[in-house]
Amino acid sequence: MNPFSSGTCLRDMIRAIRACKTSAEERAVVRKECAAIRASINEDDQDYRHRNLAKLMFIQMLGYPTHFGQMECLKLIASAGFPEKRIGYLGLMLLLDERQEVLMLVTNSLKQDLNHSNQYIVGLALCALGNICSAEMARDLAPEVERLLQFRDPNIRKKAALCSIRIIKKVPALAENFINCAASLLKEKHHGVLITGVQLCADLCKVSSEALEYFRKKCTEGLVRTLRDIVNSPYSPEYDISGITDPYLHIRLLKLLRILGQGDADASDRMTDILAQVATKTESNKNAGNAILYECVETIMSIEDDGGLRVLAINILGKFLSNRDNNIRYVALNMLMRATTLDAQAVQRHRATILDCVKDSDASIRKRALDLLYLLVNDNNVKPLIKELIEYLEVSDQEFKGDLTAKICSLVEKFSSEKIWYIDQMLKVLSEAGNFVKDEVWHALIVVISNASDLHGYTVRALYRAFLTSTEQETLVRVAVWCIGEYGDMLVNNVGMLDIEDPITVTECDAVDAVEVAIKRHTSDLTTKAMALIALLKLSSRFPSYSERIKDIIVQNKGNVVLELQQRSIEFNRILQKHPKFRSALVERMPVLDEATFSGRRAGSLPTAISTSSGAPSNLPNGIAKPATAPIPDLLDLSSDDVPAPSSSGGDFLQDLLGVDLSPTPAPSGADMPPKASTDVLLDLLSIGMPLPVQTGLSASDILSSSQDDKAPFVNFNGLASLSSLSANATSPANAAPMMDLLDGRGPGPQKSEENGQAYPSLVAYESSSLRVMFNFSKQRGSPQTTLIQATFTNLSSNVYNDFLFQAAVPKFLQLHLDPASSNTLPASGDGSITQNLKVTNSQHGKKSLVMRVRIAYKTNNKDVLEERQINNFPQNL
Amino acid sequence: MIHFVLLISRQGKVRLTKWYSAYSQKERTKVIRELSGLILTRGPKLCNFVEWRGLRVVYKRYASLYFCMCIDEDDNELEILEIIHHYVEVLDRYFGSVCELDLIYNFHKAYFILDELLIAGELQEPSKRTVARLVAAQDSLVETAKEQTSSITNIIAQAAK
């Protein structure tokens, strides 16, 4: 006999593992055992196979890998004896899951066992099949299971019924085969069979409308009778649970009746009597009774009903809600949530109790109650409820604050009838739990503040007060800093004092102090500090006497390790020093932010209106920012994913300001950068002189906006200062092409792209029924390895494509560089196109030609479409 | 339907796991870790339900063991508590006042009993007596098979003498 396999028995192994003091020891024991088991498996030792598998199951439970034992399960299942099969099937269910291919190998054994003469072996096979069968197995073995639904022994019938549930869930198409057998199970007397039969019918109804119709017509009457019998049955010790005969059967019958009654007045009508009886007669002092009542209430709520029963149901829930048992209260809240759609008025009556539940010590109940309360808030009760919730916010658990804050903010926004109330509540939330407030929420607050012109003074003073008492909350600091920057003069001069306000005296010095605190507090993150810098710049013009001090604070950030802050500091310092003339114009108060644009953007749609306003201020001199409304909506846009819109609108705006006419680029198709690219170039130009790690292709606007594009346009503003001198001596602004080259690092010096470009024919790289992709090629002189490709995408279908994304991959000998696309929306039926520039460097130039795999993703009619293609037909010698 | 059944000791040791929905081995470990963190830390007077990944976990503590069952949102939580109790009673009847050690050393028995109670995440048998009878019948099948093999080995051994 093999010395390894004789080893320890299961009990000894468990004892040895339990004796381990450290997990290292445990690992050692397990490793030794596994080695022994492996050796035994390799010997193909039959005597100890089931013991090995039992050990493996224990080891698996401890979390160690046991995949090497999978084949042993199959061998045990295939052996003849019941003990081996029993362990084998157990191992199969434990060590494998339905996604493993090994499972397919067991199908044949299962089939044999389902036809075995020993009913216990049939039972084992049914159990395993019911627990882990995959769709393929379901298809293969469904006929066997169907047959077993009529087996003589009820214990096999009930197993077969549950197994059928698994089968129809995996393969709904098989449902119709089971309808008749399932209906006959409903007439059974054996409780096990009856319970599983009812369950099977319920699941059949879920996957097949045919089954639903059938049971509704043929079985409703019978089910009602069965339920009545069981409700009125005398005490039976075998099924009794705290005075109720078989609550499981009650619950399943109620559940099936619910499915049958839903959407069918006739069937509903037939069950009202028994439902009323269950709802009134069931004892509610034990859990089993409450479980039945709970199910009954749910059925009453779901079926078509005249309302009498519903009153009964809502009353039961009211009783549940005042129950001292937390479980009962939990399910009551759960159910009331569903009841709100039916009878909001009745649920409103319990508002006070629900509000108490929000403050419960139990996290599960709190969450349920908050969700429910959220649904109950309306115009009439919003004010007292929000007051309560905000008061509770002060004392609530940290982990609950996030949820609570989000709900309060959403409610305040939804029901803000008066701006002052909205601002007040938001300020309270910000000072209580500002760290939990989401970005879009405080952005929205700023938009509202900006729109409430009569409340500017009030708001900034309130924020200042809140800021003095707590600087813990990041978002409070941000909003306060923004408002102080914008409305600092109102803060100091008590402009627009409301009657309800306490008078407050703030000096200019105090205001600057506050912003200085914000910039210096070590918990401030990049966004806050950057906002504080802008606020300081603004204050410098509001309070000219503090200009010097502000300059000192700004200069302190000159050496900041964060590039963004360093850059802003240097730029702002320059504005303060060199350009006092137009500083005040530059930092004027922000125009009113457009609420519609902002909310539209929040909803995820890109505002198309942004660039439309750029036409008007075309010939204005440098630096007069006032008429340029276009970039302003971008200020609040922190999400960097829609960069194209801000940067292009910023570009338009700049273009207008400078009078630079970029559109007629003197290059033909070859080097014709799309407008978007040239605006990027301008933005790039603006940042010349700063230590920007400009990479080709990643436009400066991207860099600026990557972390916080809320202020990106500001950077553009002040960049203008340096640009004015730069544009004078660098190139004539009419010629955009050299600027492009300057920035793309392709060497200075204007070049005529006409010389290239035409040497290579354009290529239809890809064409399908819905999309055409054209490639235009051009080369740069002096670098034959590099090819510039301009890809033009045209939509051939009649639907607009959104979220258009072009991706490309090349083999190793090529290097590919993708510029941003001109847009991500492709209009329908060829009515416009998207262009995108690619730069390919071929390290094997002359030996190998280009090859590329492209993938195009877009959304049309809310459907994601993905197209892929390999492009091999590039012209030679590229 | 019940997606899985877990038995976790107060120390966080797993005593039984039964999966009725497809979870890979990796996910299983993660689920167990997440849930033991959620459930073992809850106070004694709180409700027996935990919301988790859009599902509900119903748990109940018996001595040092937590019995957990994960169900869909629209299932009856109170009924699951009864099912847990049902299982515990059957175990109790089988082992004779069951304790954690019984379940450790006879973990396979605990599984066999569970398999007579639940299939495909649904309740199979409401009668404790029937479950006990079925398990006992299968146990005796195993016993007879064992006796047979041992008697055969004896015969062979005697013949070899």
Short mmCIF file of all heavy atoms in Angstrom, two decimals, chain A residues 54 60 86 95 99 120 131 158-159 166 169 238 248 252 287 291 294-295 326-327 330 334 362 364 368, chain B residues 1 20 24-25 42 45-49 51 56 76-79 82 107 116 120 124-125 127 137 139:
data_model
loop_
_atom_site.label_atom_id
_atom_site.label_comp_id
_atom_site.label_asym_id
_atom_site.label_seq_id
_atom_site.Cartn_x
_atom_site.Cartn_y
_atom_site.Cartn_z
N ALA A 54 -12.84 14.20 0.39
CA ALA A 54 -13.41 14.84 1.59
C ALA A 54 -12.39 15.82 2.18
O ALA A 54 -12.72 16.94 2.57
CB ALA A 54 -13.78 13.78 2.62
N GLN A 60 -10.50 23.21 0.69
CA GLN A 60 -11.07 24.25 -0.17
C GLN A 60 -11.82 25.28 0.65
O GLN A 60 -11.77 26.47 0.40
CB GLN A 60 -12.00 23.60 -1.19
CG GLN A 60 -12.21 24.43 -2.44
CD GLN A 60 -13.61 24.97 -2.53
OE1 GLN A 60 -14.41 24.76 -1.64
NE2 GLN A 60 -13.89 25.67 -3.61
N ARG A 86 -21.99 9.61 -3.45
CA ARG A 86 -22.46 10.67 -2.56
C ARG A 86 -21.35 11.71 -2.35
O ARG A 86 -21.57 12.91 -2.47
CB ARG A 86 -22.86 10.04 -1.23
CG ARG A 86 -23.74 10.93 -0.40
CD ARG A 86 -23.97 10.28 0.95
NE ARG A 86 -25.03 10.96 1.68
CZ ARG A 86 -25.26 10.76 2.97
NH1 ARG A 86 -24.52 9.88 3.65
NH2 ARG A 86 -26.22 11.41 3.59
N LEU A 95 -16.38 21.89 -5.47
CA LEU A 95 -15.10 22.26 -6.07
C LEU A 95 -15.26 22.89 -7.45
O LEU A 95 -14.37 23.56 -7.93
CB LEU A 95 -14.18 21.04 -6.19
CG LEU A 95 -13.90 20.28 -4.90
CD1 LEU A 95 -12.86 19.22 -5.14
CD2 LEU A 95 -13.45 21.19 -3.79
N ARG A 99 -19.18 27.25 -14.63
CA ARG A 99 -18.46 27.79 -15.78
C ARG A 99 -17.26 26.96 -16.17
O ARG A 99 -16.56 27.26 -17.12
CB ARG A 99 -18.04 29.23 -15.50
CG ARG A 99 -19.20 30.18 -15.70
CD ARG A 99 -18.85 31.56 -15.30
NE ARG A 99 -18.61 31.62 -13.85
CZ ARG A 99 -18.74 32.72 -13.14
NH1 ARG A 99 -19.07 33.82 -13.71
NH2 ARG A 99 -18.51 32.70 -11.85
N TYR A 120 -32.13 6.83 -4.33
CA TYR A 120 -31.25 7.79 -3.66
C TYR A 120 -30.16 8.30 -4.60
O TYR A 120 -29.72 9.44 -4.52
CB TYR A 120 -30.64 7.17 -2.40
CG TYR A 120 -31.69 6.94 -1.34
CD1 TYR A 120 -32.14 5.67 -1.03
CD2 TYR A 120 -32.28 8.03 -0.70
CE1 TYR A 120 -33.13 5.47 -0.08
CE2 TYR A 120 -33.27 7.85 0.25
CZ TYR A 120 -33.69 6.57 0.56
OH TYR A 120 -34.69 6.38 1.47
N ASN A 131 -28.21 22.17 -8.69
CA ASN A 131 -27.35 23.19 -8.10
C ASN A 131 -26.32 23.78 -9.06
O ASN A 131 -25.93 24.93 -8.90
CB ASN A 131 -26.63 22.62 -6.88
CG ASN A 131 -27.58 22.48 -5.72
OD1 ASN A 131 -28.68 23.03 -5.75
ND2 ASN A 131 -27.17 21.75 -4.71
N LYS A 158 -40.14 16.08 -5.94
CA LYS A 158 -39.87 17.44 -5.47
C LYS A 158 -38.47 17.89 -5.92
O LYS A 158 -38.27 19.05 -6.30
CB LYS A 158 -40.01 17.54 -3.95
CG LYS A 158 -38.94 16.83 -3.16
CD LYS A 158 -39.21 16.86 -1.67
CE LYS A 158 -38.00 16.29 -0.95
NZ LYS A 158 -38.23 15.90 0.43
N LYS A 159 -37.53 16.95 -5.90
CA LYS A 159 -36.19 17.32 -6.37
C LYS A 159 -36.23 17.65 -7.87
O LYS A 159 -35.59 18.61 -8.32
CB LYS A 159 -35.21 16.17 -6.12
CG LYS A 159 -34.79 16.02 -4.67
CD LYS A 159 -33.63 15.05 -4.55
CE LYS A 159 -32.90 15.15 -3.24
NZ LYS A 159 -33.64 14.62 -2.07
N ARG A 166 -34.13 25.30 -12.23
CA ARG A 166 -32.79 25.65 -12.71
C ARG A 166 -32.72 25.55 -14.24
O ARG A 166 -32.15 26.39 -14.91
CB ARG A 166 -31.77 24.71 -12.05
CG ARG A 166 -30.37 24.82 -12.56
CD ARG A 166 -29.56 25.76 -11.72
NE ARG A 166 -28.20 25.89 -12.23
CZ ARG A 166 -27.25 26.52 -11.58
NH1 ARG A 166 -27.49 27.06 -10.42
NH2 ARG A 166 -26.05 26.63 -12.09
N LYS A 169 -34.49 28.34 -15.99
CA LYS A 169 -33.77 29.61 -15.83
C LYS A 169 -32.59 29.67 -16.78
O LYS A 169 -32.26 30.72 -17.32
CB LYS A 169 -33.28 29.76 -14.39
CG LYS A 169 -34.32 30.39 -13.47
CD LYS A 169 -33.73 30.64 -12.10
CE LYS A 169 -34.80 31.13 -11.15
NZ LYS A 169 -34.36 31.00 -9.75
N GLU A 238 -46.20 17.82 12.15
CA GLU A 238 -45.08 17.69 11.23
C GLU A 238 -44.73 19.03 10.56
O GLU A 238 -43.57 19.32 10.31
CB GLU A 238 -45.41 16.64 10.16
CG GLU A 238 -44.24 16.41 9.24
CD GLU A 238 -44.29 15.05 8.60
OE1 GLU A 238 -45.30 14.35 8.75
OE2 GLU A 238 -43.30 14.69 7.93
N TYR A 248 -44.20 28.07 4.94
CA TYR A 248 -43.49 28.10 3.65
C TYR A 248 -44.49 27.93 2.50
O TYR A 248 -44.40 28.61 1.48
CB TYR A 248 -42.44 27.00 3.57
CG TYR A 248 -41.48 27.00 4.72
CD1 TYR A 248 -41.47 25.99 5.66
CD2 TYR A 248 -40.57 28.05 4.87
CE1 TYR A 248 -40.59 25.99 6.73
CE2 TYR A 248 -39.69 28.07 5.93
CZ TYR A 248 -39.71 27.04 6.86
OH TYR A 248 -38.84 27.06 7.90
N ARG A 252 -45.42 30.59 -0.47
CA ARG A 252 -45.28 30.29 -1.90
C ARG A 252 -46.60 30.41 -2.65
O ARG A 252 -46.64 30.87 -3.78
CB ARG A 252 -44.65 28.92 -2.08
CG ARG A 252 -43.15 29.03 -2.06
CD ARG A 252 -42.42 27.76 -1.90
NE ARG A 252 -41.03 28.08 -1.62
CZ ARG A 252 -40.60 28.64 -0.51
NH1 ARG A 252 -41.46 28.92 0.45
NH2 ARG A 252 -39.33 28.92 -0.34
N ASN A 287 -42.47 35.35 14.23
CA ASN A 287 -41.85 35.66 12.95
C ASN A 287 -42.55 34.96 11.78
O ASN A 287 -42.76 35.57 10.73
CB ASN A 287 -40.37 35.27 12.99
CG ASN A 287 -39.67 35.63 11.72
OD1 ASN A 287 -39.69 36.79 11.31
ND2 ASN A 287 -39.10 34.65 11.06
N ALA A 291 -44.05 36.77 8.53
CA ALA A 291 -43.56 36.47 7.18
C ALA A 291 -44.74 36.28 6.24
O ALA A 291 -44.74 36.77 5.11
CB ALA A 291 -42.69 35.23 7.20
N TYR A 294 -46.46 39.66 5.66
CA TYR A 294 -45.61 40.45 4.78
C TYR A 294 -45.85 40.05 3.32
O TYR A 294 -46.05 40.89 2.44
CB TYR A 294 -44.16 40.19 5.20
CG TYR A 294 -43.07 40.84 4.40
CD1 TYR A 294 -43.14 42.19 4.05
CD2 TYR A 294 -41.93 40.13 4.03
CE1 TYR A 294 -42.12 42.78 3.33
CE2 TYR A 294 -40.91 40.72 3.32
CZ TYR A 294 -41.01 42.04 2.97
OH TYR A 294 -40.00 42.63 2.26
N GLU A 295 -45.87 38.75 3.09
CA GLU A 295 -46.09 38.26 1.74
C GLU A 295 -47.50 38.62 1.27
O GLU A 295 -47.71 39.00 0.11
CB GLU A 295 -45.89 36.74 1.72
CG GLU A 295 -45.63 36.16 0.36
CD GLU A 295 -44.30 36.59 -0.21
OE1 GLU A 295 -43.31 36.61 0.53
OE2 GLU A 295 -44.25 36.94 -1.41
N ASN A 326 -36.69 45.04 15.09
CA ASN A 326 -36.05 45.74 13.98
C ASN A 326 -36.32 45.07 12.64
O ASN A 326 -36.45 45.74 11.62
CB ASN A 326 -34.54 45.81 14.19
CG ASN A 326 -34.16 46.96 15.10
OD1 ASN A 326 -34.92 47.92 15.20
ND2 ASN A 326 -33.05 46.85 15.77
N ASN A 327 -36.38 43.74 12.64
CA ASN A 327 -36.62 43.04 11.39
C ASN A 327 -37.95 43.44 10.79
O ASN A 327 -38.08 43.65 9.59
CB ASN A 327 -36.62 41.53 11.62
CG ASN A 327 -35.24 41.02 11.95
OD1 ASN A 327 -34.27 41.68 11.62
ND2 ASN A 327 -35.17 39.88 12.60
N TYR A 330 -37.85 46.89 9.42
CA TYR A 330 -37.12 46.91 8.16
C TYR A 330 -38.02 46.51 6.99
O TYR A 330 -38.10 47.22 5.98
CB TYR A 330 -35.91 45.97 8.26
CG TYR A 330 -35.11 45.88 6.99
CD1 TYR A 330 -34.08 46.76 6.75
CD2 TYR A 330 -35.40 44.92 6.03
CE1 TYR A 330 -33.34 46.69 5.59
CE2 TYR A 330 -34.67 44.85 4.86
CZ TYR A 330 -33.64 45.72 4.65
OH TYR A 330 -32.92 45.65 3.49
N ASN A 334 -39.45 48.70 3.73
CA ASN A 334 -39.26 48.14 2.41
C ASN A 334 -40.56 48.12 1.63
O ASN A 334 -40.63 48.47 0.45
CB ASN A 334 -38.78 46.71 2.64
CG ASN A 334 -37.90 46.24 1.57
OD1 ASN A 334 -37.73 46.94 0.58
ND2 ASN A 334 -37.34 45.08 1.73
N ASP A 362 -29.52 51.45 13.57
CA ASP A 362 -29.23 50.32 12.68
C ASP A 362 -29.06 50.82 11.24
O ASP A 362 -29.96 51.43 10.67
CB ASP A 362 -30.42 49.35 12.76
CG ASP A 362 -30.14 48.07 12.01
OD1 ASP A 362 -29.36 48.10 11.05
OD2 ASP A 362 -30.71 47.04 12.39
N SER A 364 -28.96 49.38 8.36
CA SER A 364 -29.87 48.86 7.33
C SER A 364 -31.20 49.61 7.38
O SER A 364 -31.76 49.97 6.34
CB SER A 364 -30.14 47.38 7.56
OG SER A 364 -28.96 46.64 7.41
N ARG A 368 -32.89 52.21 4.45
CA ARG A 368 -34.25 51.98 3.94
C ARG A 368 -35.12 53.21 4.18
O ARG A 368 -35.83 53.68 3.31
CB ARG A 368 -34.91 50.81 4.67
CG ARG A 368 -34.67 49.45 4.17
CD ARG A 368 -35.30 49.18 2.84
NE ARG A 368 -34.24 48.87 1.91
CZ ARG A 368 -34.09 49.43 0.74
NH1 ARG A 368 -34.94 50.31 0.32
NH2 ARG A 368 -33.10 49.12 -0.04
N MET B 1 -34.78 33.74 -5.02
CA MET B 1 -33.99 32.54 -4.77
C MET B 1 -32.80 32.84 -3.90
O MET B 1 -32.35 34.00 -3.82
CB MET B 1 -33.55 31.95 -6.12
CG MET B 1 -32.22 32.43 -6.60
SD MET B 1 -31.69 31.67 -8.13
CE MET B 1 -30.35 30.63 -7.57
N TYR B 20 -25.43 28.73 -5.10
CA TYR B 20 -26.47 28.34 -6.06
C TYR B 20 -26.41 29.21 -7.32
O TYR B 20 -27.00 28.89 -8.32
CB TYR B 20 -27.84 28.44 -5.40
CG TYR B 20 -27.99 27.47 -4.25
CD1 TYR B 20 -27.94 27.90 -2.93
CD2 TYR B 20 -28.12 26.11 -4.49
CE1 TYR B 20 -28.05 27.01 -1.88
CE2 TYR B 20 -28.23 25.21 -3.44
CZ TYR B 20 -28.19 25.66 -2.13
OH TYR B 20 -28.28 24.78 -1.11
N SER B 24 -17.15 32.59 -9.34
CA SER B 24 -15.87 31.90 -9.53
C SER B 24 -15.17 31.81 -8.18
O SER B 24 -15.54 32.49 -7.23
CB SER B 24 -15.00 32.67 -10.51
OG SER B 24 -14.60 33.88 -9.92
N GLN B 25 -14.15 30.95 -8.12
CA GLN B 25 -13.47 30.75 -6.83
C GLN B 25 -12.96 32.06 -6.27
O GLN B 25 -13.02 32.32 -5.08
CB GLN B 25 -12.30 29.77 -7.00
CG GLN B 25 -12.68 28.39 -7.50
CD GLN B 25 -13.53 27.61 -6.50
OE1 GLN B 25 -13.58 27.93 -5.33
NE2 GLN B 25 -14.21 26.58 -6.99
N ARG B 42 -21.68 43.78 13.15
CA ARG B 42 -22.97 44.36 13.53
C ARG B 42 -23.33 44.01 14.96
O ARG B 42 -23.06 42.91 15.44
CB ARG B 42 -24.06 43.90 12.57
CG ARG B 42 -24.09 44.71 11.30
CD ARG B 42 -25.06 44.15 10.30
NE ARG B 42 -26.44 44.28 10.72
CZ ARG B 42 -27.18 45.37 10.50
NH1 ARG B 42 -26.67 46.39 9.88
NH2 ARG B 42 -28.43 45.41 10.90
N LYS B 45 -28.44 43.87 18.69
CA LYS B 45 -29.86 44.22 18.68
C LYS B 45 -30.35 44.65 17.30
O LYS B 45 -31.51 44.97 17.13
CB LYS B 45 -30.11 45.35 19.68
CG LYS B 45 -30.06 44.89 21.13
CD LYS B 45 -31.43 44.47 21.64
CE LYS B 45 -31.38 43.74 22.97
NZ LYS B 45 -30.93 44.59 24.07
N LEU B 46 -29.46 44.72 16.35
CA LEU B 46 -29.83 45.27 15.04
C LEU B 46 -30.63 44.25 14.24
O LEU B 46 -30.69 43.08 14.58
CB LEU B 46 -28.58 45.69 14.27
CG LEU B 46 -27.66 46.63 15.05
CD1 LEU B 46 -26.49 47.04 14.19
CD2 LEU B 46 -28.42 47.84 15.53
N CYS B 47 -31.20 44.71 13.12
CA CYS B 47 -31.99 43.78 12.34
C CYS B 47 -31.09 42.78 11.63
O CYS B 47 -29.89 42.98 11.51
CB CYS B 47 -32.88 44.52 11.34
SG CYS B 47 -32.02 45.27 9.98
N ASN B 48 -31.68 41.70 11.16
CA ASN B 48 -30.89 40.60 10.64
C ASN B 48 -30.64 40.70 9.14
O ASN B 48 -30.35 39.71 8.49
CB ASN B 48 -31.60 39.28 10.92
CG ASN B 48 -31.70 39.00 12.39
OD1 ASN B 48 -32.56 39.53 13.07
ND2 ASN B 48 -30.80 38.20 12.90
N PHE B 49 -30.80 41.89 8.59
CA PHE B 49 -30.65 42.03 7.14
C PHE B 49 -29.56 43.03 6.82
O PHE B 49 -29.45 44.06 7.47
CB PHE B 49 -31.96 42.50 6.51
CG PHE B 49 -33.17 41.82 7.06
CD1 PHE B 49 -34.21 42.54 7.60
CD2 PHE B 49 -33.24 40.44 7.07
CE1 PHE B 49 -35.32 41.90 8.13
CE2 PHE B 49 -34.34 39.79 7.59
CZ PHE B 49 -35.38 40.52 8.12
N GLU B 51 -27.86 45.00 3.39
CA GLU B 51 -27.94 45.21 1.94
C GLU B 51 -26.54 45.17 1.38
O GLU B 51 -25.63 45.79 1.91
CB GLU B 51 -28.61 46.55 1.65
CG GLU B 51 -30.07 46.48 2.03
CD GLU B 51 -30.79 47.80 1.90
OE1 GLU B 51 -30.40 48.60 1.04
OE2 GLU B 51 -31.74 48.00 2.66
N ARG B 56 -29.78 41.17 -0.79
CA ARG B 56 -29.91 41.23 0.67
C ARG B 56 -29.28 40.00 1.26
O ARG B 56 -29.43 38.91 0.72
CB ARG B 56 -31.39 41.23 1.05
CG ARG B 56 -32.12 42.40 0.50
CD ARG B 56 -32.71 43.26 1.58
NE ARG B 56 -33.00 44.55 0.98
CZ ARG B 56 -34.18 44.86 0.44
NH1 ARG B 56 -35.16 44.01 0.52
NH2 ARG B 56 -34.37 46.01 -0.12
N ASN B 76 -38.69 37.24 0.39
CA ASN B 76 -39.24 37.46 1.72
C ASN B 76 -38.16 37.21 2.78
O ASN B 76 -37.80 36.07 3.07
CB ASN B 76 -40.42 36.51 1.91
CG ASN B 76 -41.21 36.82 3.14
OD1 ASN B 76 -40.67 37.27 4.14
ND2 ASN B 76 -42.50 36.57 3.08
N GLU B 77 -37.65 38.29 3.36
CA GLU B 77 -36.55 38.18 4.32
C GLU B 77 -36.97 37.39 5.55
O GLU B 77 -36.19 36.61 6.10
CB GLU B 77 -36.08 39.56 4.78
CG GLU B 77 -35.49 40.43 3.69
CD GLU B 77 -36.54 41.30 3.03
OE1 GLU B 77 -37.74 41.05 3.24
OE2 GLU B 77 -36.17 42.25 2.31
N LEU B 78 -38.21 37.63 5.98
CA LEU B 78 -38.65 36.97 7.21
C LEU B 78 -38.73 35.47 7.01
O LEU B 78 -38.44 34.68 7.91
CB LEU B 78 -40.02 37.52 7.63
CG LEU B 78 -40.06 39.01 7.93
CD1 LEU B 78 -41.48 39.44 8.27
CD2 LEU B 78 -39.13 39.35 9.07
N GLU B 79 -39.12 35.06 5.80
CA GLU B 79 -39.20 33.64 5.53
C GLU B 79 -37.81 33.01 5.57
O GLU B 79 -37.64 31.89 6.06
CB GLU B 79 -39.84 33.38 4.16
CG GLU B 79 -40.16 31.92 3.96
CD GLU B 79 -40.16 31.50 2.52
OE1 GLU B 79 -39.87 32.34 1.64
OE2 GLU B 79 -40.45 30.33 2.27
N GLU B 82 -36.85 32.01 8.82
CA GLU B 82 -37.47 30.73 9.19
C GLU B 82 -36.71 29.57 8.57
O GLU B 82 -36.54 28.52 9.21
CB GLU B 82 -38.93 30.69 8.72
CG GLU B 82 -39.90 31.47 9.57
CD GLU B 82 -39.90 31.02 11.03
OE1 GLU B 82 -39.82 29.81 11.29
OE2 GLU B 82 -39.97 31.90 11.91
N PHE B 107 -18.40 18.12 8.49
CA PHE B 107 -18.89 19.16 7.59
C PHE B 107 -19.66 18.55 6.42
O PHE B 107 -20.65 19.11 5.96
CB PHE B 107 -17.74 20.04 7.08
CG PHE B 107 -16.78 19.34 6.18
CD1 PHE B 107 -16.97 19.40 4.81
CD2 PHE B 107 -15.70 18.62 6.67
CE1 PHE B 107 -16.09 18.77 3.95
CE2 PHE B 107 -14.83 17.98 5.83
CZ PHE B 107 -15.02 18.05 4.47
N GLU B 116 -30.68 18.17 1.29
CA GLU B 116 -32.05 17.66 1.41
C GLU B 116 -33.04 18.79 1.67
O GLU B 116 -34.25 18.59 1.65
CB GLU B 116 -32.14 16.63 2.54
CG GLU B 116 -31.50 15.29 2.19
CD GLU B 116 -32.15 14.62 0.98
OE1 GLU B 116 -33.37 14.77 0.78
OE2 GLU B 116 -31.43 13.95 0.21
N ALA B 120 -31.17 24.30 -5.90
CA ALA B 120 -31.28 25.44 -6.82
C ALA B 120 -31.70 26.71 -6.09
O ALA B 120 -32.36 27.57 -6.65
CB ALA B 120 -32.27 25.13 -7.95
N GLN B 124 -36.90 22.85 -0.37
CA GLN B 124 -37.32 21.58 -0.93
C GLN B 124 -38.31 20.86 -0.03
O GLN B 124 -39.23 20.21 -0.51
CB GLN B 124 -36.05 20.74 -1.12
CG GLN B 124 -36.24 19.43 -1.76
CD GLN B 124 -34.97 18.60 -1.71
OE1 GLN B 124 -35.00 17.43 -1.88
NE2 GLN B 124 -33.82 19.21 -1.46
N GLU B 125 -38.12 20.98 1.27
CA GLU B 125 -38.92 20.14 2.17
C GLU B 125 -39.23 20.90 3.46
O GLU B 125 -38.32 21.30 4.17
CB GLU B 125 -38.12 18.87 2.48
CG GLU B 125 -38.81 17.91 3.39
CD GLU B 125 -40.19 17.49 2.88
OE1 GLU B 125 -40.28 16.90 1.81
OE2 GLU B 125 -41.19 17.81 3.57
N SER B 127 -40.82 19.64 6.01
CA SER B 127 -40.94 18.76 7.18
C SER B 127 -39.57 18.33 7.67
O SER B 127 -38.80 17.72 6.93
CB SER B 127 -41.78 17.54 6.82
OG SER B 127 -41.47 16.47 7.68
N ALA B 137 -31.68 7.45 5.92
CA ALA B 137 -31.74 6.35 4.96
C ALA B 137 -30.47 6.29 4.13
O ALA B 137 -29.91 5.21 3.89
CB ALA B 137 -32.95 6.54 4.05
N ASP B 139 -27.53 7.54 4.99
CA ASP B 139 -26.42 7.15 5.88
C ASP B 139 -26.37 5.64 6.04
O ASP B 139 -25.30 5.03 6.03
CB ASP B 139 -26.60 7.81 7.26
CG ASP B 139 -26.20 9.28 7.23
OD1 ASP B 139 -25.65 9.71 6.18
OD2 ASP B 139 -26.43 9.98 8.22
#
